[in-house]
Amino acid sequence: MTEADTRPTQRIGFGTAVSSLRGNRDFQLLWTSNLFFFGGVWTQTLVLGWMAFEMTGSEFLVALFTAVRLAPLLLGPIAGALTDRFDKVRLLLLACGWATVSIAVVSFLASAGLLSYWVLVAGGLAIGLAQSPSQTARASLALELVGPANLSNANALNSLAMNMTQVVGPAIGGAMIAGLGAPAALWVSTAWYAISFALLVPLRRVPHVAHAEPEPVLRMLVNGFRVIARNRLAVGVLMVTVVANTFLWPIYQSFMPVFADQRFGLDADGLGVMLSCAGIGGLVGSVVIASLGDFRNKGALFVFGTMVWGALWAVFALLTSAPAGFVVLAVAGFASAAFGVLQTTLLLIVTDKPLHGRVLGLQELAIGMIPIGSLLLGVFAQTFGVAPVTFWAAVLLVLSVGTVALRVPAALRIR
């Protein structure tokens, strides 16, 4: 009899959905900090992307800006090794403080009328340098605070925070661009980062679990890679993350302003509504997964949910009606929760605890395919248009994930 067979049956409902938060003050602080951090991320993603397109009118230059802003994700393995080696809370404070100062500088330059396209690119790079260590440290710290039994629920709640802010952040950003201008929207993003930093400060009391024999970071990095490369399940999950961030996330990160303006005839306010629709779908999907608790068949839901998500983006690429686009984006957001929640959960399930930071660092490296994908897709979009490129990118995602499932069928059985 397996461990899963001996677990008591869990009730599905609101109590299960928030089980990681109940009575856990430290995770409550971390989760609320995540809420404001992601709020800052989504607000500045919309505002900076809109400003880049407004300044240049070029799909490729918008993609180039996105690529530079997200390029620090390629440092994910180093961030993961640092997460395994050093105090996660202090690492988070450093990254969040850097993000707050960086976006404040960009906001000031925008308010003073000194923000050219290339200055915007440099500011995006500075902001992006905070994202990779933040992602790995937040996910790894969550496991320490809630324990393995609540891991799936905690990750679902973190995804819920991301999707809640994906609803609110773009809506606020789009409305403020339309009403007060882009600089005011950037100052809102700055405030969200500052609040996130303040909520992390009380977590300094959380004890840091140091390694008995600390290794140099480079040696930890190399040894971790060797062990993870022999883990077919971890490699299978990482490959799905690679293809999703090569073919699909660059579309969402780079080309939504182009879709809004050229395909649907929307302004910045309409763009905010578009992104909010995707966020609402993801929000509902995250609530559903959180309410399932420590459920079985996580691997199957991850694989098939990701394939459905890709298929819905192929449908979106064919649309010319804004209302229909809003509906499809909401449904696609719902399907994306399977990918967004479970990729981290599965990686932490199939690897040993001492490797968690490094495997999450490899996940960040996989997410770092977004800037590369953005540049490649930007070149094609400049020639063929965003709609055909989005359609074929979504089709390639579905085919690629199906291939991973056929090559690593055990991934479907991860529980």
Side-chain angles (χ1 to χ4, degrees):
M1 182 176 290
T2 66
E3 180 183 352
D5 295 325
T6 61
R7 286 197 303 261
T9 302
Q10 289 182 306
R11 294 182 178 180
I12 298 175
F14 178 77
T16 302
V18 297
S19 58
S20 297
L21 289 170
R22 290 203 310 266
N24 190 332
R25 177 63 175 167
D26 290 338
F27 184 65
Q28 290 170 4
L29 286 168
L30 177 64
W31 186 83
T32 309
S33 172
N34 291 346
L35 189 69
F36 283 96
F37 183 82
F38 295 139
V41 168
W42 284 117
T43 302
Q44 56 97 358
T45 295
L46 178 140
V47 177
L48 296 179
W50 180 264
M51 292 175 71
F53 185 62
E54 194 175 49
M55 288 176 180
T56 65
S58 166
E59 292 92 337
F60 176 74
L61 290 178
V62 173
L64 176 63
F65 165 75
T66 303
V68 173
R69 182 173 64 85
L70 298 178
L73 292 175
L74 296 171
L75 301 174
I78 297 175
L82 293 173
T83 299
D84 282 337
R85 177 69 174 78
F86 296 108
D87 188 319
K88 297 176 181 61
V89 176
R90 295 186 184 277
L91 189 62
L92 275 177
L93 286 167
L94 177 63
C96 195
W98 173 269
T100 304
V101 173
S102 298
I103 190 65
V105 171
V106 174
S107 301
F108 172 78
L109 292 174
S111 299
L114 301 175
L115 198 62
S116 66
Y117 172 75
W118 291 109
V119 174
L120 183 69
V121 170
L125 176 62
I127 297 166
L129 286 170
Q131 189 166 344
S132 187
S134 292
Q135 295 287 86
T136 55
R138 286 176 189 274
S140 185
L141 181 60
L143 175 59
E144 292 187 8
L145 296 180
V146 305
N150 282 317
L151 174 61
S152 180
N153 176 260
N155 283 331
L157 288 171
N158 283 333
S159 182
L160 178 67
M162 179 181 292
N163 285 296
M164 286 171 63
T165 54
Q166 190 179 352
V167 175
V168 176
I172 292 175
M176 292 196 71
I177 289 175
L180 299 175
L186 287 178
W187 282 115
V188 171
S189 182
T190 304
W192 286 44
Y193 279 128
I195 296 171
S196 177
F197 178 88
L199 288 164
L200 291 171
V201 173
L203 291 177
R204 289 181 300 174
R205 67 175 184 274
V206 175
H208 168 55
V209 181
H211 291 269
E213 297 179 4
E215 295 180 88
V217 170
L218 181 60
R219 186 184 303 169
M220 289 180 67
L221 193 63
V222 173
N223 291 341
F225 278 11
R226 288 173 179 168
V227 175
I228 294 167
R230 294 194 293 267
N231 187 327
R232 282 179 60 81
L233 291 176
V235 171
V237 174
L238 287 169
M239 287 307 300
V240 174
T241 303
V242 167
V243 297
N245 287 285
T246 300
F247 295 127
L248 217 80
W249 276 117
I251 301 293
Y252 190 81
Q253 291 279 352
S254 297
F255 298 140
M256 297 311 287
V258 184
F259 266 107
D261 180 68
Q262 297 183 356
R263 193 77 171 176
F264 299 130
L266 300 173
D267 57 11
D269 207 6
L271 172 61
V273 174
M274 281 181 61
L275 297 182
S276 294
C277 286
I280 290 170
L283 176 65
V284 175
S286 298
V287 170
V288 171
I289 293 177
S291 68
L292 296 176
D294 191 18
F295 65 98
R296 299 186 181 188
N297 302 318
K298 295 180 179 69
L301 180 58
F302 172 68
V303 170
F304 293 122
T306 303
M307 294 176 72
V308 170
W309 176 44
L312 287 165
W313 270 93
V315 173
F316 174 78
L318 301 175
L319 300 174
T320 56
S321 165
F326 294 162
V327 172
V328 173
L329 277 178
V331 181
F334 179 85
S336 74
F339 172 78
V341 172
L342 293 174
Q343 59 173 331
T344 301
T345 300
L346 296 182
L347 286 174
L348 294 177
I349 286 175
V350 302
T351 55
D352 295 329
K353 185 176 179 179
L355 292 169
H356 281 168
R358 279 162 286 181
V359 77
L360 292 174
L362 285 174
Q363 181 189 45
E364 288 299 302
L365 180 61
I367 295 172
M369 293 302 296
I370 293 179
I372 297 173
S374 291
L375 288 176
L376 293 175
L377 294 176
V379 170
F380 287 117
Q382 191 79 24
T383 304
F384 301 106
V386 294
V389 169
T390 297
F391 176 83
W392 288 111
V395 170
L396 286 172
L397 169 70
V398 174
L399 294 176
S400 299
V401 175
T403 301
V404 172
L406 291 174
R407 295 295 301 272
V408 192
L412 296 171
R413 299 189 292 273
I414 299 175
R415 297 187 175 184

